[in-house]
């Protein structure tokens, strides 16, 4: 699964690099693939960090020990599951928790 965290940064470049290094370090601790910091082409966001993970839980474990700096004015996180429907080996898509309604 690919996770893209789009965010705006209102601080200095040095501050951004320190925070990104903290994110990278937590990713290493939790065996999360840190693909880097990117500048997206969307006008809405300044930056994005891309991760490769096995599950949402693995991604959330990584972020539990991080404090989002005040310089992150807002963020949006997108999860991308691999679409293996053409191979017919996807057990259940989309994941059940998206369809559960109480």
């Amino acid at each position: 699964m690919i996770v893209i965290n789009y965010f705006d940064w209102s601080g200095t470049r040095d501050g951004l690099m320190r925070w990104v290094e903290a994110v990278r370090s937590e990713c290493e601790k939790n065996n999360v693939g840190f693909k880097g910091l990117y500048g997206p082409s969307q006008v809405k966001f300044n930056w994005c960090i891309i991760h490769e993970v096995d599950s949402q839980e693995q991604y959330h474990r990584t972020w539990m020990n991080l404090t989002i700096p005040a310089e992150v004015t807002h963020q949006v996180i997108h999860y991308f599951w691999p679409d293996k429907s053409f191979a017919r080996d996807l057990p259940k898509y989309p994941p059940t928790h998206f369809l559960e309604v109480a």
Side-chain angles (χ1 to χ4, degrees):
M1 162 190 325
I2 299 295
V3 181
I4 301 179
N5 180 338
Y6 296 99
F7 65 96
D8 280 334
W9 182 262
S10 65
T12 66
R13 178 137 182 107
D14 287 341
L16 175 62
M17 292 302 105
R18 282 192 300 275
W19 185 59
V20 169
E21 181 55 31
V23 171
R24 188 199 58 73
S25 178
E26 280 300 311
C27 287
E28 282 182 3
K29 291 178 191 174
N30 290 287
N31 199 27
V32 167
F34 178 81
K35 301 301 181 186
L37 174 69
Y38 295 86
S41 61
Q42 299 175 345
V43 174
K44 187 173 181 176
F45 295 102
N46 299 136
W47 299 100
C48 70
I49 297 176
I50 300 176
H51 299 90
E52 187 170 5
V53 296
D54 294 325
S55 67
Q56 280 182 291
E57 293 77 22
Q58 181 187 24
Y59 178 74
H60 289 277
R61 261 194 321 274
T62 300
W63 286 85
M64 283 178 20
N65 295 323
L66 290 167
T67 301
I68 304 298
E71 292 88 354
V72 174
T73 57
H74 72 284
Q75 65 178 337
V76 173
I77 299 170
H78 289 166
Y79 298 92
F80 296 90
W81 286 269
D83 184 356
K84 298 180 181 176
S85 60
F86 294 106
R88 305 286 184 226
D89 62 350
L90 196 60
K92 193 166 192 176
Y93 189 80
T96 314
H97 63 273
F98 281 119
L99 302 176
E100 290 176 359
V101 178

PDB file of all heavy atoms in Angstrom, residues 73-92:
ATOM      1  N   THR A  73       0.366  23.494   8.726  1.00  0.00           N
ATOM      2  CA  THR A  73      -0.893  24.212   8.916  1.00  0.00           C
ATOM      3  C   THR A  73      -2.114  23.345   8.639  1.00  0.00           C
ATOM      4  O   THR A  73      -3.161  23.539   9.241  1.00  0.00           O
ATOM      5  CB  THR A  73      -0.936  25.472   8.039  1.00  0.00           C
ATOM      6  OG1 THR A  73      -0.744  25.103   6.669  1.00  0.00           O
ATOM      7  CG2 THR A  73       0.142  26.458   8.472  1.00  0.00           C
ATOM      8  N   HIS A  74      -1.998  22.407   7.740  1.00  0.00           N
ATOM      9  CA  HIS A  74      -3.021  21.373   7.545  1.00  0.00           C
ATOM     10  C   HIS A  74      -2.438  20.270   6.684  1.00  0.00           C
ATOM     11  O   HIS A  74      -1.421  20.451   6.018  1.00  0.00           O
ATOM     12  CB  HIS A  74      -4.320  21.937   6.965  1.00  0.00           C
ATOM     13  CG  HIS A  74      -4.255  22.342   5.536  1.00  0.00           C
ATOM     14  ND1 HIS A  74      -3.638  23.492   5.119  1.00  0.00           N
ATOM     15  CD2 HIS A  74      -4.741  21.751   4.417  1.00  0.00           C
ATOM     16  CE1 HIS A  74      -3.753  23.604   3.808  1.00  0.00           C
ATOM     17  NE2 HIS A  74      -4.407  22.559   3.357  1.00  0.00           N
ATOM     18  N   GLN A  75      -3.097  19.108   6.745  1.00  0.00           N
ATOM     19  CA  GLN A  75      -2.615  17.965   5.971  1.00  0.00           C
ATOM     20  C   GLN A  75      -3.775  17.073   5.572  1.00  0.00           C
ATOM     21  O   GLN A  75      -4.836  17.105   6.183  1.00  0.00           O
ATOM     22  CB  GLN A  75      -1.581  17.165   6.757  1.00  0.00           C
ATOM     23  CG  GLN A  75      -2.110  16.500   7.996  1.00  0.00           C
ATOM     24  CD  GLN A  75      -1.050  15.690   8.717  1.00  0.00           C
ATOM     25  OE1 GLN A  75      -0.069  15.276   8.131  1.00  0.00           O
ATOM     26  NE2 GLN A  75      -1.247  15.469   9.992  1.00  0.00           N
ATOM     27  N   VAL A  76      -3.546  16.297   4.542  1.00  0.00           N
ATOM     28  CA  VAL A  76      -4.495  15.301   4.062  1.00  0.00           C
ATOM     29  C   VAL A  76      -3.692  14.046   3.785  1.00  0.00           C
ATOM     30  O   VAL A  76      -2.633  14.100   3.158  1.00  0.00           O
ATOM     31  CB  VAL A  76      -5.215  15.785   2.777  1.00  0.00           C
ATOM     32  CG1 VAL A  76      -6.061  14.679   2.183  1.00  0.00           C
ATOM     33  CG2 VAL A  76      -6.046  17.013   3.057  1.00  0.00           C
ATOM     34  N   ILE A  77      -4.201  12.916   4.239  1.00  0.00           N
ATOM     35  CA  ILE A  77      -3.509  11.640   4.037  1.00  0.00           C
ATOM     36  C   ILE A  77      -4.356  10.782   3.112  1.00  0.00           C
ATOM     37  O   ILE A  77      -5.547  10.578   3.366  1.00  0.00           O
ATOM     38  CB  ILE A  77      -3.266  10.932   5.377  1.00  0.00           C
ATOM     39  CG1 ILE A  77      -2.391  11.810   6.267  1.00  0.00           C
ATOM     40  CG2 ILE A  77      -2.626   9.562   5.154  1.00  0.00           C
ATOM     41  CD1 ILE A  77      -2.279  11.341   7.699  1.00  0.00           C
ATOM     42  N   HIS A  78      -3.735  10.282   2.053  1.00  0.00           N
ATOM     43  CA  HIS A  78      -4.420   9.387   1.108  1.00  0.00           C
ATOM     44  C   HIS A  78      -3.772   8.010   1.153  1.00  0.00           C
ATOM     45  O   HIS A  78      -2.543   7.906   1.131  1.00  0.00           O
ATOM     46  CB  HIS A  78      -4.335   9.933  -0.323  1.00  0.00           C
ATOM     47  CG  HIS A  78      -5.174  11.142  -0.537  1.00  0.00           C
ATOM     48  ND1 HIS A  78      -5.031  11.929  -1.636  1.00  0.00           N
ATOM     49  CD2 HIS A  78      -6.174  11.696   0.184  1.00  0.00           C
ATOM     50  CE1 HIS A  78      -5.909  12.923  -1.586  1.00  0.00           C
ATOM     51  NE2 HIS A  78      -6.593  12.793  -0.484  1.00  0.00           N
ATOM     52  N   TYR A  79      -4.614   6.983   1.211  1.00  0.00           N
ATOM     53  CA  TYR A  79      -4.159   5.589   1.194  1.00  0.00           C
ATOM     54  C   TYR A  79      -4.466   5.011  -0.184  1.00  0.00           C
ATOM     55  O   TYR A  79      -5.582   5.165  -0.685  1.00  0.00           O
ATOM     56  CB  TYR A  79      -4.899   4.766   2.251  1.00  0.00           C
ATOM     57  CG  TYR A  79      -4.646   5.243   3.654  1.00  0.00           C
ATOM     58  CD1 TYR A  79      -5.482   6.174   4.259  1.00  0.00           C
ATOM     59  CD2 TYR A  79      -3.568   4.759   4.382  1.00  0.00           C
ATOM     60  CE1 TYR A  79      -5.253   6.612   5.543  1.00  0.00           C
ATOM     61  CE2 TYR A  79      -3.330   5.185   5.676  1.00  0.00           C
ATOM     62  CZ  TYR A  79      -4.180   6.116   6.246  1.00  0.00           C
ATOM     63  OH  TYR A  79      -3.942   6.555   7.524  1.00  0.00           O
ATOM     64  N   PHE A  80      -3.499   4.337  -0.765  1.00  0.00           N
ATOM     65  CA  PHE A  80      -3.684   3.711  -2.071  1.00  0.00           C
ATOM     66  C   PHE A  80      -3.402   2.220  -1.950  1.00  0.00           C
ATOM     67  O   PHE A  80      -2.272   1.813  -1.715  1.00  0.00           O
ATOM     68  CB  PHE A  80      -2.736   4.337  -3.107  1.00  0.00           C
ATOM     69  CG  PHE A  80      -3.019   5.789  -3.361  1.00  0.00           C
ATOM     70  CD1 PHE A  80      -2.410   6.776  -2.609  1.00  0.00           C
ATOM     71  CD2 PHE A  80      -3.908   6.161  -4.355  1.00  0.00           C
ATOM     72  CE1 PHE A  80      -2.667   8.106  -2.832  1.00  0.00           C
ATOM     73  CE2 PHE A  80      -4.176   7.511  -4.594  1.00  0.00           C
ATOM     74  CZ  PHE A  80      -3.557   8.484  -3.832  1.00  0.00           C
ATOM     75  N   TRP A  81      -4.456   1.407  -2.083  1.00  0.00           N
ATOM     76  CA  TRP A  81      -4.307  -0.039  -2.056  1.00  0.00           C
ATOM     77  C   TRP A  81      -4.002  -0.528  -3.457  1.00  0.00           C
ATOM     78  O   TRP A  81      -4.539   0.012  -4.434  1.00  0.00           O
ATOM     79  CB  TRP A  81      -5.600  -0.699  -1.569  1.00  0.00           C
ATOM     80  CG  TRP A  81      -5.818  -0.547  -0.106  1.00  0.00           C
ATOM     81  CD1 TRP A  81      -5.417  -1.402   0.870  1.00  0.00           C
ATOM     82  CD2 TRP A  81      -6.478   0.527   0.563  1.00  0.00           C
ATOM     83  NE1 TRP A  81      -5.786  -0.923   2.104  1.00  0.00           N
ATOM     84  CE2 TRP A  81      -6.429   0.263   1.943  1.00  0.00           C
ATOM     85  CE3 TRP A  81      -7.085   1.698   0.131  1.00  0.00           C
ATOM     86  CZ2 TRP A  81      -6.981   1.101   2.885  1.00  0.00           C
ATOM     87  CZ3 TRP A  81      -7.636   2.548   1.072  1.00  0.00           C
ATOM     88  CH2 TRP A  81      -7.576   2.240   2.432  1.00  0.00           C
ATOM     89  N   PRO A  82      -3.190  -1.554  -3.572  1.00  0.00           N
ATOM     90  CA  PRO A  82      -2.921  -2.079  -4.911  1.00  0.00           C
ATOM     91  C   PRO A  82      -4.192  -2.703  -5.491  1.00  0.00           C
ATOM     92  O   PRO A  82      -4.909  -3.406  -4.791  1.00  0.00           O
ATOM     93  CB  PRO A  82      -1.838  -3.131  -4.685  1.00  0.00           C
ATOM     94  CG  PRO A  82      -1.927  -3.486  -3.248  1.00  0.00           C
ATOM     95  CD  PRO A  82      -2.482  -2.296  -2.535  1.00  0.00           C
ATOM     96  N   ASP A  83      -4.474  -2.400  -6.717  1.00  0.00           N
ATOM     97  CA  ASP A  83      -5.649  -2.966  -7.378  1.00  0.00           C
ATOM     98  C   ASP A  83      -5.213  -4.202  -8.147  1.00  0.00           C
ATOM     99  O   ASP A  83      -4.595  -4.102  -9.204  1.00  0.00           O
ATOM    100  CB  ASP A  83      -6.277  -1.944  -8.320  1.00  0.00           C
ATOM    101  CG  ASP A  83      -7.560  -2.456  -8.943  1.00  0.00           C
ATOM    102  OD1 ASP A  83      -7.925  -3.632  -8.713  1.00  0.00           O
ATOM    103  OD2 ASP A  83      -8.203  -1.689  -9.658  1.00  0.00           O
ATOM    104  N   LYS A  84      -5.521  -5.341  -7.576  1.00  0.00           N
ATOM    105  CA  LYS A  84      -5.152  -6.604  -8.221  1.00  0.00           C
ATOM    106  C   LYS A  84      -6.372  -7.274  -8.827  1.00  0.00           C
ATOM    107  O   LYS A  84      -6.369  -8.459  -9.089  1.00  0.00           O
ATOM    108  CB  LYS A  84      -4.498  -7.537  -7.190  1.00  0.00           C
ATOM    109  CG  LYS A  84      -3.222  -6.956  -6.611  1.00  0.00           C
ATOM    110  CD  LYS A  84      -2.611  -7.900  -5.621  1.00  0.00           C
ATOM    111  CE  LYS A  84      -1.353  -7.287  -5.031  1.00  0.00           C
ATOM    112  NZ  LYS A  84      -0.786  -8.133  -3.994  1.00  0.00           N
ATOM    113  N   SER A  85      -7.426  -6.494  -9.056  1.00  0.00           N
ATOM    114  CA  SER A  85      -8.674  -7.073  -9.541  1.00  0.00           C
ATOM    115  C   SER A  85      -8.524  -7.704 -10.918  1.00  0.00           C
ATOM    116  O   SER A  85      -9.249  -8.622 -11.262  1.00  0.00           O
ATOM    117  CB  SER A  85      -9.777  -6.014  -9.565  1.00  0.00           C
ATOM    118  OG  SER A  85      -9.408  -4.943 -10.409  1.00  0.00           O
ATOM    119  N   PHE A  86      -7.564  -7.220 -11.689  1.00  0.00           N
ATOM    120  CA  PHE A  86      -7.369  -7.817 -13.010  1.00  0.00           C
ATOM    121  C   PHE A  86      -6.807  -9.219 -12.889  1.00  0.00           C
ATOM    122  O   PHE A  86      -7.028 -10.064 -13.734  1.00  0.00           O
ATOM    123  CB  PHE A  86      -6.438  -6.952 -13.857  1.00  0.00           C
ATOM    124  CG  PHE A  86      -7.046  -5.622 -14.181  1.00  0.00           C
ATOM    125  CD1 PHE A  86      -6.606  -4.479 -13.552  1.00  0.00           C
ATOM    126  CD2 PHE A  86      -8.095  -5.529 -15.080  1.00  0.00           C
ATOM    127  CE1 PHE A  86      -7.184  -3.252 -13.828  1.00  0.00           C
ATOM    128  CE2 PHE A  86      -8.678  -4.311 -15.372  1.00  0.00           C
ATOM    129  CZ  PHE A  86      -8.224  -3.161 -14.740  1.00  0.00           C
ATOM    130  N   ALA A  87      -6.095  -9.490 -11.807  1.00  0.00           N
ATOM    131  CA  ALA A  87      -5.525 -10.820 -11.589  1.00  0.00           C
ATOM    132  C   ALA A  87      -6.502 -11.704 -10.829  1.00  0.00           C
ATOM    133  O   ALA A  87      -6.267 -12.880 -10.652  1.00  0.00           O
ATOM    134  CB  ALA A  87      -4.216 -10.719 -10.808  1.00  0.00           C
ATOM    135  N   ARG A  88      -7.595 -11.135 -10.366  1.00  0.00           N
ATOM    136  CA  ARG A  88      -8.635 -11.862  -9.632  1.00  0.00           C
ATOM    137  C   ARG A  88      -8.129 -12.508  -8.339  1.00  0.00           C
ATOM    138  O   ARG A  88      -8.690 -13.471  -7.883  1.00  0.00           O
ATOM    139  CB  ARG A  88      -9.288 -12.946 -10.495  1.00  0.00           C
ATOM    140  CG  ARG A  88      -9.857 -12.446 -11.783  1.00  0.00           C
ATOM    141  CD  ARG A  88     -11.134 -11.684 -11.527  1.00  0.00           C
ATOM    142  NE  ARG A  88     -11.727 -11.296 -12.786  1.00  0.00           N
ATOM    143  CZ  ARG A  88     -12.182 -10.084 -13.022  1.00  0.00           C
ATOM    144  NH1 ARG A  88     -12.118  -9.167 -12.114  1.00  0.00           N
ATOM    145  NH2 ARG A  88     -12.707  -9.790 -14.175  1.00  0.00           N
ATOM    146  N   ASP A  89      -7.053 -11.961  -7.751  1.00  0.00           N
ATOM    147  CA  ASP A  89      -6.556 -12.559  -6.514  1.00  0.00           C
ATOM    148  C   ASP A  89      -6.734 -11.630  -5.316  1.00  0.00           C
ATOM    149  O   ASP A  89      -6.181 -11.855  -4.265  1.00  0.00           O
ATOM    150  CB  ASP A  89      -5.087 -12.961  -6.642  1.00  0.00           C
ATOM    151  CG  ASP A  89      -4.176 -11.763  -6.903  1.00  0.00           C
ATOM    152  OD1 ASP A  89      -4.702 -10.673  -7.167  1.00  0.00           O
ATOM    153  OD2 ASP A  89      -2.959 -11.933  -6.843  1.00  0.00           O
ATOM    154  N   LEU A  90      -7.533 -10.591  -5.458  1.00  0.00           N
ATOM    155  CA  LEU A  90      -7.769  -9.673  -4.354  1.00  0.00           C
ATOM    156  C   LEU A  90      -8.889 -10.250  -3.492  1.00  0.00           C
ATOM    157  O   LEU A  90      -9.987 -10.492  -3.986  1.00  0.00           O
ATOM    158  CB  LEU A  90      -8.161  -8.305  -4.908  1.00  0.00           C
ATOM    159  CG  LEU A  90      -8.083  -7.139  -3.969  1.00  0.00           C
ATOM    160  CD1 LEU A  90      -6.651  -6.961  -3.452  1.00  0.00           C
ATOM    161  CD2 LEU A  90      -8.506  -5.870  -4.678  1.00  0.00           C
ATOM    162  N   PRO A  91      -8.639 -10.501  -2.210  1.00  0.00           N
ATOM    163  CA  PRO A  91      -9.622 -11.183  -1.388  1.00  0.00           C
ATOM    164  C   PRO A  91     -10.915 -10.391  -1.186  1.00  0.00           C
ATOM    165  O   PRO A  91     -11.990 -10.939  -1.294  1.00  0.00           O
ATOM    166  CB  PRO A  91      -8.906 -11.394  -0.063  1.00  0.00           C
ATOM    167  CG  PRO A  91      -7.792 -10.425  -0.049  1.00  0.00           C
ATOM    168  CD  PRO A  91      -7.429 -10.170  -1.481  1.00  0.00           C
ATOM    169  N   LYS A  92     -10.813  -9.104  -0.900  1.00  0.00           N
ATOM    170  CA  LYS A  92     -12.009  -8.312  -0.695  1.00  0.00           C
ATOM    171  C   LYS A  92     -11.652  -6.860  -0.938  1.00  0.00           C
ATOM    172  O   LYS A  92     -10.826  -6.292  -0.237  1.00  0.00           O
ATOM    173  CB  LYS A  92     -12.515  -8.496   0.728  1.00  0.00           C
ATOM    174  CG  LYS A  92     -13.893  -7.962   0.942  1.00  0.00           C
ATOM    175  CD  LYS A  92     -14.446  -8.475   2.244  1.00  0.00           C
ATOM    176  CE  LYS A  92     -15.921  -8.174   2.291  1.00  0.00           C
ATOM    177  NZ  LYS A  92     -16.541  -8.716   3.467  1.00  0.00           N
TER     178      LYS A  92
END
